[in-house]
Amino acid sequence: MLFYNIVVLSVLNTVWCINLRKFPTGFKFGAATAAYQIEGAWNVSDKGVSIWDTFVHNNPGAIKNDETGDIAADSYHNWQADIDIASDIGLHFYRFSVSWPRLLPTGYVNNKSEDGKNYYNKLIDGLLAKGIEPIVTLYHWDLPQPIQDLGGWTNPLIAEYFADYANYVFSLFGDRVKIWITINEAISVCDFAYNSGILAPGIKEPIYATYLCNKHILIAHAKAYRIYEKYYRPRQHGKVSFANNLLWIEPLTPADEELAELGLQHTAGRYSHPIYSKKGGWPLSIVKVMEEYSKKQGFHSSRLPRFTNEEIQLIRGSYDFYAFNHYTTRLIRPAQPGEDIGFWFLTGSPELNAVLVADPSWP
Ligand SMILES: *[C@@H]1O[C@H](CO)[C@@H](O)[C@H](O)[C@H]1NC(C)=O
Ligand SMILES: *[C@@H]1O[C@H](CO)[C@@H](O)[C@H](O)[C@H]1NC(C)=O
């Protein structure tokens, strides 16, 4: 793995030198936001309440200075000024997310907000008028509260509710939007949220919730993809995928190479192998680790839920491109006896009995 990286780096260096570090012609630059981060207007018109609205309002101390997204950048009101800025800085594309409870106040398709629909129509038309391509994320973490009240991503029926929502969004905006991301950073929604409890919905349940969420979010994505494939792509000609959060993991010492590969399977593989591999389903190395660790904990079967063959086929191949957000890389090593391991992204993984560290020499 190290050797491979060195080769890639030297090839890239050569390319950069030859081209004076110019990006290739046709490379597109853009910017990205999420509805809860920028829209504000959490309670205007008939917008429903999301799990982030509930979380920030009901958990004093959970957010530094008890700040909220109630107003945020107020892009709900300032959308035209924001488009003008995007145009001034020369963006080729702008990625934003649709707020599910702004469009469907209770989360379900029997209750549609005219105001929500108008807001996203204005935004999309405004971007296109400036020659900026809209890229739309369907879910960037602001789940309608009534769906959370039924168990949120741990409830298998959420895949149906998400598919209905996705179908509605494609029908409204698919004539103008040609690149779609179903779910942004599922590992944050499932692992990071349920293993820590520090993100909405503020529930810490690292035993089953993390892995139920992992399974259901993949099925929800795949159902949305299949709807697009069948009913929209023939006339709208767009592309749909899923956006992973890829933490890259390297071995701390040569003895940790196998562990580094397992670490990548546990973070990236659980959210990629079912969709993008030829065989589909969970990475086999993770099935084995989860089975062994669950038994060691005293469970009779693996905490990683099984997929039916039908589910494997539904999910496998449900993509038109590979997408990821990348922030950083960590080194992995085995945990020391009695060491506090914590959870992925902050420190480590109990399942792998491993810890992530940064090399102190990195700037
Ligand atoms: C639709 O959503 C609004 C806003 O949350 C709510 O007041 C209303 O009762 C809902 N209607 C139905 C039919 O669910
Ligand atoms: C909306 O929320 C704000 C706080 O962000 C509050 O001041 C205002 O009264 C609320 N408006 C309605 C209509 O509930």
Side-chain angles (χ1 to χ4, degrees), residues 11 53 66 84 91 94 98 129 168 209 220 244 264 275 281:
V11 169
D53 295 320
D66 287 334
D84 292 343
L91 298 187
Y94 174 57
V98 171
Y168 180 54
N244 271 296
L264 283 172
I275 300 176

Side-chain angles (χ1 to χ4, degrees), residues 173-186:
F173 311 127
D175 56 337
R176 289 153 290 157
V177 174
K178 302 301 168 190
I179 301 187
W180 298 96
I181 300 286
T182 53
I183 310 280
N184 182 68
E185 292 186 7

Side-chain angles (χ1 to χ4, degrees), residues 2 20 47 50 72 75 78 87 95 102-103 108 155 176 213 217 220 224 283 289 296 328 338:
L2 281 174
L20 301 169
K47 178 184 167 289
S50 83
S75 201
N78 295 327
S87 173
R95 177 182 167 207
R102 189 178 300 288
L103 210 53
Y108 310 115
N155 176 353
R176 289 153 290 157
C213 174
I217 212 165
V289 163
K296 213 168 108 187
T328 192

Side-chain angles (χ1 to χ4, degrees), residues 46-49 105-106 110-111:
D46 55 349
K47 178 184 167 289
V49 172
T106 50
N110 69 322
N111 195 353

Side-chain angles (χ1 to χ4, degrees), residues 41-45 57 68-71:
W42 78 282
N43 59 358
V44 303
S45 182
H57 293 149
T68 71
D70 290 358
I71 301 172

Side-chain angles (χ1 to χ4, degrees), residues 66 102 116 132 166 170 208:
D66 287 334
R102 189 178 300 288
I132 301 169
F170 294 146
Y208 283 110

Side-chain angles (χ1 to χ4, degrees), residues 22-304:
K22 279 195 177 132
F23 283 88
T25 314
F27 190 92
K28 292 181 183 176
F29 288 91
T33 59
Y36 186 73
Q37 290 174 328
I38 64 152
E39 286 179 4
W42 78 282
N43 59 358
V44 303
S45 182
D46 55 349
K47 178 184 167 289
V49 172
S50 83
I51 58 173
W52 271 96
D53 295 320
T54 305
F55 183 66
V56 300
H57 293 149
N58 296 1
N59 292 281
I63 309 288
K64 195 173 174 186
N65 304 326
D66 287 334
E67 280 163 18
T68 71
D70 290 358
I71 301 172
D74 203 16
S75 201
Y76 176 81
H77 294 109
N78 295 327
W79 59 275
Q80 184 63 62
D82 290 346
I83 291 170
D84 292 343
I85 295 167
S87 173
D88 287 347
I89 61 178
L91 298 187
H92 298 129
F93 68 85
Y94 174 57
R95 177 182 167 207
F96 64 91
S97 76
V98 171
S99 161
W100 186 346
R102 189 178 300 288
L103 210 53
L104 301 175
T106 50
Y108 310 115
V109 283
N110 69 322
N111 195 353
K112 300 184 172 92
S113 168
E114 272 301 299
D115 187 77
K117 182 176 96 178
N118 292 340
Y119 172 65
Y120 294 109
N121 271 326
K122 284 186 298 190
L123 179 61
I124 291 164
D125 291 343
L127 288 165
L128 291 171
K130 297 276 190 177
I132 301 169
E133 183 181 6
I135 295 186
V136 175
T137 306
L138 296 178
Y139 185 74
H140 199 130
W141 311 1
D142 45 355
L143 190 69
Q145 186 62 44
I147 296 182
Q148 182 60 47
D149 295 342
L150 297 181
W153 290 104
T154 65
N155 176 353
L157 290 176
I158 195 170
E160 309 291 335
Y161 309 146
F162 181 77
D164 283 349
Y165 160 63
N167 194 349
Y168 180 54
V169 180
F170 294 146
S171 77
L172 291 181
F173 311 127
D175 56 337
R176 289 153 290 157
V177 174
K178 302 301 168 190
I179 301 187
W180 298 96
I181 300 286
T182 53
I183 310 280
N184 182 68
E185 292 186 7
I187 197 170
S188 306
V189 174
C190 300
D191 294 54
F192 202 61
Y194 284 114
N195 290 347
S196 73
I198 65 174
L199 302 178
I203 296 169
K204 181 173 178 177
E205 205 290 288
I207 307 297
Y208 283 110
T210 305
Y211 299 102
L212 290 171
C213 174
N214 189 165
K215 176 179 175 180
H216 302 151
I217 212 165
L218 290 166
I219 294 175
H221 152 79
K223 281 185 184 280
Y225 181 89
R226 299 302 174 198
I227 286 169
Y228 190 84
E229 183 179 46
K230 187 165 177 190
Y231 300 106
Y232 297 94
R233 193 193 291 141
R235 55 202 159 85
Q236 297 184 346
H237 311 293
K239 290 180 167 38
V240 181
S241 197
F242 183 81
N244 271 296
N245 174 344
L246 292 195
L247 170 75
W248 194 253
I249 298 174
E250 288 283 338
L252 178 65
T253 71
D256 304 322
E257 282 194 23
E258 205 177 310
L259 187 59
E261 175 59 24
L262 263 183
L264 283 172
Q265 292 300 339
H266 202 41
T267 52
R270 267 189 297 120
Y271 294 94
S272 293
H273 193 274
I275 300 176
Y276 303 93
S277 70
K278 283 210 176 79
K279 284 189 75 174
W282 300 118
L284 291 180
S285 58
I286 296 305
V287 170
K288 188 161 168 274
V289 163
M290 289 298 297
E291 178 93 34
E292 287 169 3
Y293 189 72
S294 304
K295 295 237 161 102
K296 213 168 108 187
Q297 287 179 300
F299 294 99
H300 293 305
S301 57
S302 180
R303 290 187 287 118
L304 187 69

